[in-house]
C-alpha cells in the first residue's frame, strides 16, 4: 500500500462528512450554540493528539538530540506553535482551544461541561474517568475516548494517520459562510467564532496537506503499518460522522 491508495480508500468516508446534512441544518444562533457545545471537546482533545505527535517526532526530553526527519520536525512544531500559541483578535497570545472557549462565551454557548473536564484533568484525575462522568452525549464521549486510545497505542504511524485523515481540514470552508450568514441575520455577535475558523484555515495553508501526507508515508514502513494506518483512519472518520449525526439529531429536537 502507499499514500495514494490509502487516500482513495478513505474517500467515501470523507465524502460522507463533506455532504453531511448537519451543515444545511445550521440556520439560527441556537444551532451554533449546540454545535459548539459538542464540538469543543474535539477542539480540546486535538491538542493531546498533536502533542503526542510532537513527543514522537521531535525531541522533548533531555539531553536534546536532533530527531531523524528535520522537515517533519519543523512541520509538527509549526502546527504546535499555531495551535498552542496563536494570536487572538486583540493581539494576545492564546491557544486555539482558549480562542474557541472565548467564542463560545461570546455566542452564549454553555462551557460548563468542558470547563469541568479541564478542572478534573488538571487536578490529576484520569482522563477516561473524567470523560465518563461528564453530562454530554455518548457520541462525544466515544469521540474523545477514541482519541486517547489512539495516543495509547504509542505508534507514531497510527497517531499521524488519525491526525492527518481524521482531524485536519474536516470542517469545510462552507461552515464559515454558514456562520457568517447566521451572523448577518442575528443580533448575536459571532465575530470571534469567524476569526477562529479563518485562523484555522489560514494557518493550515497550502503546505500542511502535502507535509502531513509525507509524514504518514515516512512512518509507514511495512504493509502492516499501512493497514493499521488505514484501519484507524477509517475509525476516526466514522467517529466524526457519528459525532456530526448526534449533533444533527439535537438540531431536530430543538426545531
Amino acid at each position: 500500500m502507499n499514500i495514494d491508495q490509502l487516500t482513495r480508500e478513505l474517500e467515501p468516508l470523507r465524502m460522507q462528512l463533506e455532504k453531511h446534512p448537519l451543515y444545511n441544518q445550521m440556520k439560527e444562533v441556537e444551532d451554533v450554540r449546540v454545535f459548539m457545545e459538542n464540538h469543543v471537546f474535539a477542539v480540546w482533545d486535538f491538542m493531546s493528539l498533536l502533542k503526542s505527535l510532537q513527543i514522537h517526532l521531535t525531541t522533548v526530553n533531555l539531553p536534546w538530540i536532533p530527531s531523524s526527519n528535520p522537515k517533519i520536525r519543523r512541520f509538527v512544531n509549526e502546527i504546535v506553535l499555531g495551535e498552542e500559541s496563536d494570536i487572538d483578535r486583540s493581539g494576545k497570545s492564546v491557544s486555539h482551544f482558549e480562542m474557541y472557549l472565548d467564542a463560545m462565551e461570546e455566542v452564549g454557548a454553555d462551557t460548563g461541561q468542558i470547563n469541568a473536564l479541564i478542572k478534573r484533568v488538571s487536578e490529576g484525575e484520569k482522563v477516561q474517568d473524567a470523560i465518563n462522568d461528564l453530562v454530554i452525549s455518548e457520541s462525544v464521549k466515544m469521540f474523545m475516548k477514541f482519541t486517547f486510545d489512539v495516543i495509547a497505542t504509542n505508534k507514531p504511524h497510527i497517531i499521524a494517520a488519525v491526525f492527518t485523515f481524521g482531524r485536519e481540514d474536516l470542517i469545510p470552508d462552507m461552515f464559515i459562510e454558514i456562520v457568517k450568514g447566521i451572523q448577518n441575520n442575528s443580533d448575536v455577535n459571532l465575530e470571534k467564532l469567524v476569526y477562529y475558523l479563518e485562523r484555522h484555515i489560514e494557518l493550515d495553508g497550502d503546505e500542511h496537506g502535502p507535509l502531513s501526507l509525507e509524514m504518514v508515508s515516512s512512518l509507514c514502513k511495512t504493509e502492516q503499518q499501512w493497514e493499521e494506518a488505514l484501519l484507524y483512519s477509517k475509525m476516526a472518520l466514522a467517529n466524526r460522522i457519528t459525532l456530526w449525526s448526534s449533533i444533527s439529531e439535537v438540531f431536530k429536537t430543538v426545531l
Side-chain angles (χ1 to χ4, degrees):
M1 186 182 296
N2 57 41
I3 198 69
D4 291 333
Q5 291 172 308
L6 192 154
T7 302
R8 284 195 298 271
E9 286 276 352
L10 297 175
E11 189 59 23
L13 286 170
R14 290 186 63 86
M15 289 300 294
Q16 282 188 53
L17 276 171
E18 288 182 13
K19 296 181 178 181
H20 199 284
L22 174 142
Y23 305 110
N24 291 329
Q25 291 175 305
M26 295 186 65
K27 301 182 184 300
E28 307 290 341
V29 170
E30 182 56 35
D31 300 330
V32 176
R33 294 189 184 109
V34 168
F35 178 84
M36 296 184 79
E37 288 166 4
N38 288 274
H39 180 243
V40 65
F41 295 95
V43 177
W44 173 72
D45 75 356
F46 171 83
M47 279 305 303
S48 291
L49 194 67
L50 175 56
K51 281 295 187 177
S52 178
L53 270 184
Q54 189 179 36
I55 290 169
H56 285 288
L57 302 180
T58 75
T59 303
V60 294
N61 54 346
L62 299 174
W64 179 88
I65 56 174
S67 56
S68 60
N69 190 323
K71 185 188 292 187
I72 299 303
R73 179 200 315 158
R74 180 181 178 87
F75 166 62
V76 172
N77 282 332
E78 280 183 351
I79 296 178
V80 171
L81 175 63
E83 292 286 343
E84 192 172 35
S85 307
D86 199 9
I87 303 298
D88 68 9
R89 293 170 67 244
S90 63
K92 183 179 69 174
S93 295
V94 66
S95 70
H96 278 192
F97 170 69
E98 292 162 313
M99 197 183 293
Y100 199 88
L101 284 180
D102 198 24
M104 287 181 70
E105 292 176 358
E106 180 181 61
V107 75
D110 184 3
T111 59
Q113 289 301 302
I114 185 62
N115 285 332
L117 174 61
I118 298 301
K119 182 176 186 295
R120 294 174 68 163
V121 171
S122 67
E123 291 173 350
E125 186 169 347
K126 291 182 179 179
V127 67
Q128 298 282 5
D129 293 338
I131 290 171
N132 282 334
D133 290 340
L134 293 174
V135 185
I136 57 176
S137 75
E138 287 302 315
S139 63
V140 178
K141 292 181 181 181
M142 181 176 70
F143 188 94
M144 287 190 286
K145 288 177 181 178
F146 174 75
T147 299
F148 288 98
D149 285 345
V150 167
I151 293 169
T153 67
N154 210 31
K155 294 182 176 182
H157 63 283
I158 291 177
I159 299 167
V162 169
F163 176 86
T164 298
F165 297 106
R167 304 302 291 259
E168 279 287 86
D169 196 30
L170 284 182
I171 298 181
D173 291 356
M174 64 175 141
F175 184 67
I176 292 183
E177 299 308 315
I178 292 170
V179 171
K180 286 180 178 178
I182 293 172
Q183 179 175 248
N184 291 337
N185 293 287
S186 170
D187 295 331
V188 177
N189 194 344
L190 300 177
E191 288 181 2
K192 290 183 178 179
L193 176 57
V194 171
Y195 180 84
Y196 163 85
L197 293 167
E198 289 178 338
R199 284 296 289 168
H200 201 72
I201 290 176
E202 179 183 347
L203 290 175
D204 280 347
D206 295 329
E207 294 184 358
H208 283 189
L211 281 172
S212 64
L213 297 177
E214 183 177 333
M215 173 176 63
V216 174
S217 293
S218 69
L219 294 170
C220 290
K221 302 182 186 302
T222 68
E223 190 61 26
Q224 180 180 343
Q225 289 176 328
W226 280 111
E227 292 293 341
E228 288 178 334
L230 175 61
L231 172 63
Y232 276 85
S233 296
K234 284 183 174 180
M235 288 192 289
L237 289 168
N239 277 327
R240 176 75 69 163
I241 292 169
T242 300
L243 176 61
W244 264 205
S245 296
S246 71
I247 298 173
S248 178
E249 287 301 314
V250 177
F251 287 165
K252 292 177 183 177
T253 60
V254 170
L255 291 173

